Amino acid sequence: MTRRLQVMKFGGTSVGNAECIARAAKIVAQSAREGRCVAVVSAMSGVTNRLIEAARMAEAGNRSGALASIEEVRAQHESALNALLEDESERAGVRARLEAVLAEGSRFCEGTALLRELSLRTMDAISSLGERLSAPLVSAAVKELGLRSEALEATELIVTDEYHGGAEPQMEQTRARSQARILPLLNGGSIPVVTGFLGATPEGELTTLGRGGSDYSATILGAALDADEVIIWTDVEGVLTADPRLVTEAQTIPEISYREAAELAYFGAKVLHPKTLRPVVQAGIPVWIRNSFAPEKPGTKITPQGQSIGGGVKALTAIRDVTLISVGGPGIVGLPDVVGRTFSTTAEVRANVLLISQSSSQNDICFGVSSSDASKTVDALRKEFAQDLAHHKVEHIRVDPHIAIVAVVGQNMCGTPGIAGKTFNAMGKAGVNLIAIAQGSSETNISFVIEEQSVVPALRSLHREFALHKSAHRIPNAQGVLD
Ligand code: ADP
Ligand code: ASP
Ligand code: MG
């Protein structure tokens, strides 16, 4: 019989310094003693942001600024390395590996500064250096506990398309490569520590999976290796009823369904990358969210069905930094293809459309995109509708940047009477103005658009209205209804 396999991912704060890395290594070692374990690691906290900053400085021609940032990254890893390993000759081996990665980083920045040009491909190469630095450190910390371990770069394992900055995995090839490379290591008693966040095209060109993408790396590898479970170790005790930074009474939810968790992630709950659950849906692999700072706590289990709370509200979330774009004017009534052209344009630039609303007079189509996608979307729409704008068939392409989307999430919620009423009642109590509403056909969420500054009062009022501070502990009766 094969021994159970856990793929465990450690986020940036869970490998944020030597102490955290040592704690992560202990968790890995414990899992490897009980079964088989593959670790996936993020960059140390703050590193990816610093690298992106370095790339931007280089693009602006600020070579010395960019190289100084790389130096700071070196210092952060050097101090963790010195604190983690006792033996200087062991340190020297790891240091050589880190230096090789850092030298690549400096060269990328120098080239960028020289050309004052930063392609998405180069941005991927620079922004992923953090994972390539943290994996050897975590692997070394595991070895320090007397176990065998090898740091692997996911360019060898995760095969993706060539969409730099948000690549998609090609699962068949990923499966073949991951099994060929990782299973022999596991069978030989060694613990693979894999870089999160990155992959490579079939030709070997490095790509990244998007910000926060190490969660996705973990489930991609979990599915590719037929893991028994995936555990995402982070800095909170699981999926909470709301972002605890915004709602202090938020509670940990013991069990939640794939659908609910995906909906929360899609609507901005940072605890999970929006695509995290996709790879595991087919095989039904459970995903745990747990706190690496309190490993004795059970965390949240994400399962195909979740634990029913009888169609009630499970959690709230919000996406800030949304831009509302509207395409319209009286002239669009006679232009039947405006909707089609609008959304083929958003698809072409791969803008993530978060919510769509069309007024019944057909004067206006409005939709929300992440603010980071806004300028490329508007440019592309202006190009697409240039003729129509010139001839006043389309009167305007309007942009409203300070918007947020709030989502109320729970399985089968929309079939439960009164939830929409309670939701909007809570907004009325908090004095929050609703700009647009989208319940859609999804049974799992009600989402609406408000001004960004109203997010916190909106969430707090909703949390109170649905008594979510108690809900995590309530059990439905035989009819699935909560008291
Ligand atoms: P990591 O670095 O481990 O990937 P992230 O910062 O990406 O961690 O995600 C964890 C953070 O997500 C938490 O610190 C918390 O502030 C935030 N968060 C937002 N919404 C939720 C939620 N519903 N439940 C738990 N955490 C949430
Ligand atoms: N280090 C990457 C980021 O900060 C990926 C991750 O942490 O998941 O976006
Ligand atoms: Mg994250």
Side-chain angles (χ1 to χ4, degrees), residues 9 11-13 233-236 238-240 242-245 269-271:
K9 174 254 171 179
T13 40
W233 293 98
T234 183
D235 58 0
V236 280
V239 177
L240 275 71
D243 184 343
R245 285 172 302 187
K270 194 181 170 226
V271 66

Side-chain angles (χ1 to χ4, degrees), residues 9 12 42-43 48-49 131 197 210-215:
K9 174 254 171 179
S42 289
T48 311
N49 285 347
E131 275 71 10
F197 188 42
R211 291 306 306 270
S214 299
D215 300 331

Side-chain angles (χ1 to χ4, degrees), residues 31-330:
S31 163
R33 286 193 193 100
E34 291 164 4
R36 297 175 302 160
C37 177
V38 174
V40 176
V41 294
S42 289
M44 292 173 80
S45 57
V47 167
T48 311
N49 285 347
R50 187 163 284 157
L51 290 166
I52 291 173
E53 231 174 70
R56 295 265 173 245
M57 280 195 265
E59 184 186 22
N62 182 359
R63 176 180 176 275
S64 58
L67 293 180
S69 290
I70 300 281
E71 267 320 300
E72 285 175 34
V73 170
R74 165 185 282 114
Q76 190 173 344
H77 289 81
E78 178 68 26
S79 91
L81 175 63
N82 291 337
L84 277 167
L85 303 192
E86 296 261 320
D87 184 88
E88 178 48 37
S89 70
E90 305 245 333
R91 273 192 222 153
V94 181
R95 189 176 295 121
R97 185 157 175 178
L98 302 186
E99 287 302 331
V101 174
L102 290 159
E104 260 186 71
S106 301
R107 281 202 302 277
F108 292 139
C109 287
E110 278 173 347
T112 302
L114 198 64
L115 298 170
R116 299 202 178 195
E117 196 176 274
L118 179 65
S119 64
L120 286 172
R121 184 173 147 178
T122 308
M123 181 56 114
D124 274 354
I126 296 176
S127 64
S128 60
L129 293 166
E131 275 71 10
R132 298 177 58 207
L133 294 168
S134 61
L137 278 184
V138 174
S139 178
V142 170
K143 283 195 209 155
E144 195 74 356
L145 298 173
L147 292 151
R148 293 173 57 200
S149 173
E150 193 165 322
L152 300 181
E153 300 209 347
T155 36
E156 288 189 69
L157 309 170
I158 297 182
V159 181
T160 73
D161 64 12
E162 55 202 26
Y163 196 83
H164 288 283
E168 282 298 332
Q170 296 178 349
M171 284 310 289
E172 235 170 85
Q173 295 184 63
T174 299
R175 193 176 166 84
R177 286 211 198 167
S178 302
Q179 296 204 353
R181 182 75 174 96
I182 289 182
L183 296 182
L185 289 178
L186 290 174
N187 292 338
S190 180
I191 302 168
V193 178
V194 182
T195 56
F197 188 42
L198 60 98
T201 64
E203 293 74 37
E205 187 71 51
L206 185 146
T207 53
T208 64
L209 307 173
R211 291 306 306 270
S214 299
D215 300 331
Y216 196 23
S217 307
T219 50
I220 291 169
L221 288 175
L225 297 169
D226 298 321
D228 294 282
E229 45 188 26
V230 174
I231 305 177
I232 293 179
W233 293 98
T234 183
D235 58 0
V236 280
E237 272 162 37
V239 177
L240 275 71
T241 49
D243 184 343
R245 285 172 302 187
L246 306 181
V247 182
T248 43
E249 319 85 271
Q251 297 288 319
T252 306
I253 303 171
E255 191 172 332
I256 189 167
S257 71
Y258 283 166
R259 267 290 286 286
E260 291 168 327
E263 206 85 55
L264 284 172
Y266 180 75
F267 282 107
K270 194 181 170 226
V271 66
L272 279 179
H273 182 274
K275 295 178 191 161
T276 309
L277 296 162
R278 282 189 200 171
V280 294
V281 166
Q282 208 180 352
I285 301 169
V287 177
W288 290 86
I289 312 294
R290 298 185 63 183
N291 188 350
S292 69
F293 297 84
E296 70 288 354
K297 300 266 173 71
T300 297
K301 188 178 190 185
I302 310 175
T303 58
Q305 299 309 326
Q307 185 184 52
S308 172
I309 57 160
V313 172
K314 274 251 173 97
L316 312 170
T317 182
I319 320 185
R320 300 204 233 198
D321 290 329
V322 174
T323 294
L324 208 59
I325 299 174
S326 71
V327 177

